[in-house]
Amino acid sequence: MVKIKLLTPSLSSDFNRVKKELDKYNIKISESKAQNENIDALIFILDGERDFRVILTMAAIVLYCNKTLAFTKTSYLGTTGIDNWNTVLNKLKQNESDIYRRAKVIVFIGDIDNQRKYENLMSTLGNNIKEDINGVYIFHDGDKIVIITYNGDLNDNRFSSHEIEEDIIKFLKGINEPRVNERISMIRNIVDAKDFYDKLNKNFRNFRLGSELFDNLDKLLIYLMIRHKEYCRKSFYRLDHILRLIGNS
């Protein structure tokens, strides 16, 4: 069973909501409150709770081994943005040396909002940092594995909205669920990924699929990620790759 350590208290309500849904389908995760335990992966969420909910669901359905994942948001150390990952890493070493020492893998996940942010991110990646797969960068910091990645894959090289919503949309549009596909096809006048997601959220309130009734899109998404696990891994391929690396560490 995957154990989750929450280093940012504000993530607790999202953890409980995801756990409640996973329990319905007999998929177990647990919250660890043990002190001074080793951490298999310390994961920094640089943008939003939705990233956390998706990663948490992915971890529950991808990892089959006992791993402890610690989650925090970068506001925890006063710095945000995927292009500031190196500043956060340095603050972690200086201000939270005990947590840094106990973590085997350190992961930074965030959005790329615009071209400037992408260029800033690229400028932080030195010659010792390799691109392991598309958009996943890895290097060793002593005995630690450090991973940097970003969300979103609909716009290819147009970095106006590289966000987790893009990956969710790609997943929902690609699965073989006629009623879901039909509901998505009805959405018109889409501005960007966030606008598309907001409209999806409204369209899938109190949505029935077979015998299941879902009062919001978050619950439906968890159900569909479990039901279409292999396609889920393809849609969120960066997260899947990172979790495999953690599982093998």
Side-chain angles (χ1 to χ4, degrees):
M1 183 194 305
V2 178
K3 293 190 292 183
I4 305 300
K5 182 176 285 293
L6 302 175
L7 301 180
T8 303
S10 63
L11 293 173
S12 181
S13 61
D14 281 299
F15 170 81
N16 289 329
R17 285 203 294 269
V18 172
K19 184 180 186 305
K20 182 179 179 181
E21 293 306 305
L22 292 172
D23 283 344
K24 292 180 183 177
Y25 311 110
N26 202 32
I27 296 177
K28 304 299 181 184
I29 56 173
S30 65
E31 183 179 359
S32 172
K33 296 186 178 181
Q35 299 294 318
N36 302 318
E37 69 179 326
N38 288 330
I39 298 170
D40 293 292
L42 171 59
I43 301 175
F44 282 93
I45 305 294
L46 282 80
D47 300 279
E49 283 73 20
R50 191 166 293 128
D51 300 51
F52 173 62
R53 295 195 292 268
V54 171
I55 298 165
L56 195 58
T57 305
M58 283 285 292
I61 63 180
V62 168
L63 292 175
Y64 299 105
C65 45
N66 291 327
K67 294 288 181 179
T68 299
L69 310 184
F71 285 89
T72 186
K73 296 170 69 174
T74 48
S75 54
Y76 165 72
L77 292 173
T79 305
T80 60
I82 188 65
D83 51 332
N84 290 316
W85 68 268
N86 49 352
T87 301
V88 176
L89 181 60
N90 288 331
K91 284 188 175 183
L92 175 68
K93 293 179 183 179
Q94 294 168 10
N95 303 333
E96 300 286 353
S97 58
D98 180 59
I99 294 174
Y100 172 78
R101 177 184 56 79
R102 289 188 280 125
K104 294 180 183 178
V105 180
I106 301 171
V107 181
F108 297 95
I109 300 175
D111 295 341
I112 295 179
D113 303 314
N114 49 52
Q115 184 69 23
R116 179 192 58 79
K117 196 169 186 179
Y118 173 70
E119 291 170 357
N120 288 346
L121 171 61
M122 292 299 105
S123 72
T124 66
L125 305 176
N127 294 331
N128 64 324
I129 301 178
K130 68 172 184 175
E131 188 172 25
D132 198 44
I133 64 167
N134 178 37
V136 177
Y137 304 91
I138 297 180
F139 73 99
H140 286 82
D141 187 37
D143 62 343
K144 315 294 181 192
I145 300 172
V146 179
I147 303 172
I148 307 120
T149 192
Y150 52 83
N151 300 308
D153 202 36
L154 284 184
N155 288 341
D156 297 322
N157 292 322
R158 292 179 295 153
F159 293 100
S160 58
S161 60
H162 259 264
E163 296 157 342
I164 193 67
E165 287 85 355
E166 292 181 336
D167 296 321
I168 294 171
I169 291 164
K170 180 173 66 176
F171 169 70
L172 291 173
K173 290 177 73 174
I175 57 176
N176 182 22
E177 291 285 356
R179 292 205 65 244
V180 173
N181 304 144
E182 180 185 10
R183 187 68 63 95
I184 292 173
S185 69
M186 295 167 60
I187 298 174
R188 299 286 185 272
N189 302 318
I190 299 164
V191 176
D192 54 26
K194 282 192 179 295
D195 177 57
F196 196 168
Y197 190 86
D198 288 343
K199 288 173 178 174
L200 284 175
N201 226 347
K202 293 176 182 177
N203 277 26
F204 282 103
R205 287 176 185 161
N206 298 315
F207 177 75
R208 183 172 292 281
L209 189 61
S211 61
E212 299 273 357
L213 179 64
F214 302 93
D215 54 19
N216 61 56
L217 181 56
D218 286 336
K219 292 180 180 180
L220 174 64
L221 180 62
I222 291 171
Y223 170 77
L224 292 172
M225 288 174 72
I226 295 168
R227 182 179 169 99
H228 298 275
K229 183 174 72 172
E230 291 309 314
Y231 189 75
C232 172
R233 298 177 83 151
K234 291 178 181 178
S235 298
F236 301 95
Y237 69 94
R238 293 190 186 108
L239 293 181
D240 181 62
H241 185 69
I242 290 167
L243 288 167
R244 287 173 185 262
L245 291 173
I246 293 169
N248 293 327
S249 66

